[in-house]
Amino acid sequence: ETQEQLDAFEARIQRGEKIEANDWMPAEYRRQLIRMISQHAHSEVVGMLPEGAWITRAPSLKRKTILIAKVQDEAGHGQYLYHAAETLGISREEMVDALLSGKAKYSSIFNYPTLTWADIGMIGWLVDGAAIKNQTMLAGCSYGPYSRAMVRICSEETFHHKQGKEMIVMYAQGTPEQRAMAQDALNRWWWPAMMMLGPHDADSPNSGVLTRWGVKLKSNDEVRQEFINEHVPELLEAGLTIPDPDLYQDENGDWKHGPINWDEFWSVVKGHGQMNRQRLEARNAAHDEGAWVREALEAYMNRTPAQAAD
Ligand code: 3HC
């Protein structure tokens, strides 16, 4: 890499140009995007597991069909994102092996258990709500394939978000048991959703270069602030209590939260969360059970002309 190439690349970023797969890019830009996009794809695929556990136990046909549609959407988001990562030169096998071996990261949020049906609504409202803030930001990122994948994903996420909010608001204003179930779900998902948006900016080693090269248009803390400012008033409006005794609204109208338990965050990221083992076991089992499909495809691709003519 010459300084001239780097300068020309940075001038393109400054002009707001999209970097495309065949354009020159610094090796670190490629590495960062492979890291980020592949982990994002893994998150979508693993993210199907907590919700999938409730498809057979949905309280009505309407809720079951909505949940099936949401989980299917996430499978599709995973595909868009694996494809976006492949444009940078990494193979699907490499990415899948990294996930199955436990080497790759995926979003901490999906290592928490879904204990009641209300968790499904809370995931839709809070987790997809946080994801929308993050992904709307990434829709403007400098790497073309990622930015375009985000535009498509965000439009589907809004449906995920709305259905979750509608469900929780109904329970929060329903019977005492429903209200208790919604509050219990908020108590267990509020902080993990806050952590999902990443460490504080001061503790975010990747943010510098990602911001400089137009991948992160807002910092982890800015996206978290957007998330809090939207969701706190709505959760309070629904009659729920935010499990943060230090929460207050400052003179600018921004909601300020209490200390985040980053020890818990890093413990989950390092594989010691409540469900990390189960998530990887489920992914490995699905991969093994799907081996026959890959083998059949391989046999079909390698069929002889005589077999093809058959
Ligand atoms: N879970 C697991 N690891 C996390 C994390 C999280 N919530 N937040 C940060 N980390 C990891 C980072 O990957 C990094 O480790 P690495 O260098 O080994 O990859 C380390 O912690 C330091 O964090 P940084 O802030 O420096 O990392 P980033 O600059 O990459 O910022 C991020 C973290 C904001 C999550 C960013 O990676 C990002 O925007 N990723 C794309 C979006 C994404 O992956 N979302 C996951 C949720 S997907 C989802 O919600 C699906 C929806 O349908 C519900």
Side-chain angles (χ1 to χ4, degrees):
E1 289 174 15
T2 65
Q3 192 54 48
E4 196 181 350
Q5 283 173 314
L6 200 49
D7 292 346
F9 173 80
E10 295 201 340
R12 293 193 64 198
I13 299 289
Q14 292 314 316
R15 290 195 297 270
E17 291 179 22
K18 290 292 184 211
I19 307 299
E20 296 300 337
N22 297 325
D23 293 349
W24 186 87
M25 63 183 80
E28 178 58 5
Y29 183 81
R30 185 183 304 277
R31 184 192 74 79
Q32 277 287 351
L33 282 162
I34 286 176
R35 173 188 70 84
M36 220 169 136
I37 301 173
S38 61
Q39 288 174 178
H40 197 161
H42 296 327
S43 303
E44 300 282 2
V45 168
V46 173
M48 291 192 281
L49 294 168
E51 294 173 317
W54 281 90
I55 288 176
T56 54
R57 296 181 282 170
S60 69
L61 182 58
K62 171 189 162 193
R63 294 291 179 200
K64 184 196 282 278
T65 50
I66 291 173
L67 184 54
I68 288 174
K70 180 175 189 301
V71 172
Q72 278 176 326
D73 282 349
E74 271 141 26
H77 297 172
Q79 292 301 332
Y80 301 151
L81 289 163
Y82 281 128
H83 281 304
E86 286 165 3
T87 64
L88 290 156
I90 189 169
S91 74
R92 180 69 63 100
E93 289 73 19
E94 276 175 273
M95 289 187 275
V96 171
D97 289 349
L99 175 65
L100 297 179
S101 63
K103 271 210 305 287
K105 289 188 171 71
Y106 57 87
S107 190
S108 49
I109 192 75
F110 297 125
N111 289 310
Y112 290 83
T114 41
L115 301 179
T116 75
W117 170 255
D119 287 26
I120 298 304
M122 201 53 80
I123 285 175
W125 196 356
L126 293 191
V127 176
D128 288 76
I132 287 172
K133 297 301 179 199
N134 166 279
Q135 291 168 161
T136 303
M137 176 268 288
L138 289 170
C141 83
S142 58
Y143 186 56
Y146 197 19
S147 156
R148 292 187 290 272
M150 285 299 103
V151 172
R152 172 74 185 274
I153 287 175
C154 284
S155 65
E156 293 174 341
E157 290 286 13
T158 44
F159 147 64
H160 300 174
H161 187 228
K162 283 195 175 72
Q163 63 84 34
K165 179 177 168 184
E166 184 259 346
M167 205 195 289
I168 294 297
V169 168
M170 193 181 83
Y171 301 153
Q173 295 169 353
T175 64
E177 294 79 12
Q178 286 176 321
R179 206 162 38 249
M181 198 166 70
Q183 184 61 55
D184 164 59
L186 179 56
N187 294 343
R188 286 183 288 103
W189 287 94
W190 173 253
W191 290 107
M194 294 275 281
M195 296 179 209
M196 162 185 165
L197 294 166
H200 286 311
D201 299 345
D203 306 319
S204 171
N206 296 295
S207 283
V209 71
L210 291 173
T211 307
R212 179 184 174 151
W213 285 341
V215 178
K216 260 190 186 176
L217 306 183
K218 289 174 184 162
S219 74
N220 296 359
D221 286 325
E222 284 169 334
V223 174
R224 196 174 358 255
Q225 189 61 67
E226 282 183 359
F227 165 74
I228 299 169
N229 282 353
E230 174 183 326
H231 290 83
V232 165
E234 293 184 350
L235 288 160
L236 295 176
E237 172 81 22
L240 295 170
T241 306
I242 311 279
D244 175 1
D246 302 316
L247 185 73
Y248 72 94
Q249 200 169 17
D250 72 7
E251 63 287 350
N252 305 321
D254 284 333
W255 287 90
K256 293 300 172 195
H257 60 80
I260 294 177
N261 182 345
W262 292 112
D263 289 344
E264 176 183 326
F265 171 78
W266 288 114
S267 165
V268 173
V269 172
K270 289 188 171 70
H272 312 302
Q274 297 176 59
M275 299 298 285
N276 295 58
R277 184 176 45 78
Q278 290 90 328
R279 299 302 182 225
L280 282 190
E281 281 171 358
R283 286 306 321 143
N284 276 285
H287 188 75
D288 296 345
E289 284 153 23
W292 68 273
V293 176
R294 295 190 295 276
E295 286 154 16
L297 273 174
E298 188 114 17
Y300 181 77
M301 299 300 283
N302 299 330
R303 69 194 185 286
T304 62
Q307 285 168 322
D310 197 355

